[in-house]
Amino acid sequence: MLSKVYSSGLTGIDGYEVVVECSAQDKLPKFELVGLPDTAVKEAKERVRAACENSGFRFPETALTLNLAPANRKKEGSAFDLAILCGILQCDDIISREISLEDKCFIGELSLSGEIRPVPGVLSMCLAARESGRREVYVPEANAGEAAVVDAVAVYPVRDVCQLVDHLNGKQLIEPRVCNISSFAFGPVPGDIDFSDVRGQERAKRALEIAAAGGHNVLLIGPPGAGKPMLAKRIPTILPDFTFEEAIVTTKIHSISNMLGTDNALVTTRPFRAPHHTMSAPALVGGGANPKPGEISLAHNGVLFLDELPEFSKVAVEALRQPLEDRQVTITRAMGRIVFPCAFMLVCAMNPCKCGYYGNSTKNCICKPGDIKKYMSKISGPLCLTALISRLKCRR
């Protein structure tokens, strides 16, 4: 018996379709999983077996071979669990063989009890399923709000294996989740921090208003207590409201980074990221053995705030030069090439010297002239020039 079930995987922030082919033969029992699975996918064998038996279904005592196609593409994560189990259940006629799964996509991780657990990147996977012609997408309940943002597909929230089997066999249908896009408010949250809260600092506020209007990068230099972080945190509230297309891309980045949360179906406010100065270059720009978005991509369509700029490592700061100019970061590994978007407004803050009071009228600076020059020289000229050129290109 052969069955074919559809699922989705992730490459960068985009999804791609994965076909789970299941072959069951009357031979000595075995369970083979092929198609370049990583460790998490290989361990699906034990999760699938336990979930099947603990849901009250007999696991087939046959020779099972499952192929995740395309077989030359590495599969990562636990989102294929549900599709693997559906393929096995249809081979064993627990899901009726007369039911066509051709237009359906299954996404979700299985617990040993048979519950369906949420997975990151569901929005990207649902978009890939729609582009591949699937009309029904089955996702964990916790991911249903995020998946329902995708139009032209019916999104079914699944609680456990028994509920899914009953639905597919027509015994007890699941109500599809519906999302009303017009209900989202794309803009600052009322009652939250706002730029209008700032009293005084008229010259600084004017400069930030001009920077926000033109999409310019900003460097704030002032003594401790001047309010540099306070001003920076309020910049997103004077930026233009999100468009739906911008919200989708930003949500995809946060979703694959597992930072969306179960209560947020869509990112509706411009992100503000303020990483600590001890952050490494890969964490800031993105990377790793399995490349993930860095802080600059999480700040896409928003603001990246680097407080105490001279304290950041030189490698991390210099790594910002090309992303500032290209508005994207390209990460190349042996497994392939991945591009993450990173169109952000860079806002930096620093003291004028090590002690912070150079040029201050109320407190004397205790730094030597050489120390002041050394401190200011930590910020390279090419970085400042790159930030300026990138903005000039955008204006053209």
Side-chain angles (χ1 to χ4, degrees):
M1 176 63 188
L2 178 67
S3 67
K4 185 184 294 186
V5 181
Y6 296 92
S7 186
S8 290
L10 290 172
T11 298
I13 68 167
D14 298 316
Y16 64 94
E17 184 175 71
V18 174
V19 183
V20 180
E21 301 169 323
C22 180
S23 174
Q25 297 178 330
D26 292 329
K27 296 180 180 179
L28 290 175
K30 68 173 184 177
F31 194 156
E32 293 290 340
L33 188 58
V34 298
L36 285 183
D38 71 348
T39 303
V41 181
K42 290 178 181 178
E43 291 175 348
K45 295 190 291 185
E46 303 306 322
R47 292 194 296 270
V48 166
R49 184 187 299 272
C52 181
E53 294 174 346
N54 290 326
S55 298
F57 304 114
R58 182 186 64 86
F59 194 81
E61 296 296 329
T62 56
L64 294 171
T65 303
L66 288 104
N67 178 44
L68 306 181
N72 63 343
R73 199 169 192 172
K74 188 172 182 179
K75 316 302 184 304
E76 300 174 353
S78 56
F80 308 113
D81 290 6
L82 192 58
I84 292 172
L85 179 58
C86 287
I88 294 172
L89 294 179
Q90 190 169 50
C91 279
D92 204 35
D93 208 25
I94 295 173
I95 296 176
S96 177
R97 298 177 185 177
E98 297 179 358
I99 296 174
S100 173
L101 304 181
E102 187 70 24
D103 63 341
K104 299 174 176 58
C105 178
F106 299 88
I107 301 167
E109 176 186 326
L110 291 173
S111 70
L112 299 185
S113 63
E115 294 180 356
I116 313 300
R117 289 176 172 164
V119 294
V122 166
L123 177 58
S124 299
M125 295 179 188
C126 287
L127 289 169
R130 183 186 65 181
E131 293 170 2
S132 300
R134 311 302 149 215
R135 293 293 171 261
E136 297 179 11
V137 181
Y138 296 82
V139 300
E141 277 188 328
N143 293 129
E146 172 189 351
V149 173
V150 182
D151 59 354
V153 294
V155 175
Y156 292 92
V158 183
R159 183 179 62 255
D160 54 44
V161 174
C162 293
Q163 184 190 31
L164 177 61
V165 172
D166 288 342
H167 171 82
L168 294 176
N169 288 331
K171 295 180 180 179
Q172 188 172 358
L173 299 181
I174 303 172
E175 286 294 326
R177 181 68 59 87
V178 179
C179 178
N180 183 12
I181 302 299
S182 61
S183 64
F184 291 102
F186 296 99
V189 179
D192 205 350
I193 61 173
D194 193 87
F195 199 76
S196 61
D197 299 334
V198 182
R199 297 292 180 266
Q201 297 283 20
E202 299 302 329
R203 295 177 65 183
K205 289 194 295 185
R206 177 60 176 163
L208 292 178
E209 289 168 358
I210 294 172
H216 304 297
N217 300 314
V218 180
L219 174 60
L220 300 171
I221 303 178
K228 300 186 291 295
M230 180 268 295
L231 286 165
K233 289 177 182 178
R234 286 162 171 78
I235 293 176
T237 65
I238 59 173
L239 293 175
D241 291 344
F242 255 173
T243 64
F244 180 70
E245 290 73 19
E246 288 177 327
I248 286 291
V249 176
T250 305
T251 303
K252 287 168 65 176
I253 297 172
H254 283 72
S255 178
I256 67 171
S257 301
N258 207 16
M259 299 179 63
L260 191 58
T262 57
D263 297 330
N264 300 323
L266 199 65
V267 176
T268 57
T269 58
R270 294 194 177 274
F272 177 84
R273 304 294 301 179
H276 194 261
H277 63 261
T278 57
M279 177 167 284
S280 65
L284 181 63
V285 178
N290 297 321
K292 297 295 181 184
E295 289 291 330
I296 64 173
S297 294
L298 291 170
H300 180 64
N301 290 324
V303 175
L304 176 67
F305 177 53
L306 303 183
D307 196 10
E308 303 294 343
L309 180 62
E311 303 303 325
F312 281 81
S313 72
K314 189 174 182 65
V315 174
V317 173
E318 292 300 317
L320 291 174
R321 289 169 56 179
Q322 186 174 355
L324 277 170
E325 185 173 352
D326 297 341
R327 321 296 283 170
Q328 64 183 24
V329 56
T330 303
I331 300 172
T332 304
R333 294 289 184 271
M335 58 179 288
R337 179 173 172 269
I338 294 175
V339 178
F340 293 121
C342 57
F344 58 91
M345 178 179 174
L346 178 63
V347 180
C348 302
M350 60 179 289
N351 297 328
C353 64
K354 190 68 175 177
C355 75
Y357 293 101
Y358 176 67
N360 190 273
S361 59
T362 60
K363 192 170 182 178
N364 293 328
C365 174
I366 60 173
C367 298
K368 298 177 181 178
D371 294 336
I372 297 174
K373 184 177 181 180
K374 181 179 179 181
Y375 184 79
M376 295 298 292
S377 66
K378 290 183 178 181
I379 310 304
S380 68
L383 176 65
C384 299
L385 182 61
T386 300
L388 175 61
I389 292 174
S390 70
R391 293 305 175 182
L392 291 175
K393 286 184 177 180
C394 291
R395 290 176 66 85
R396 290 176 185 173

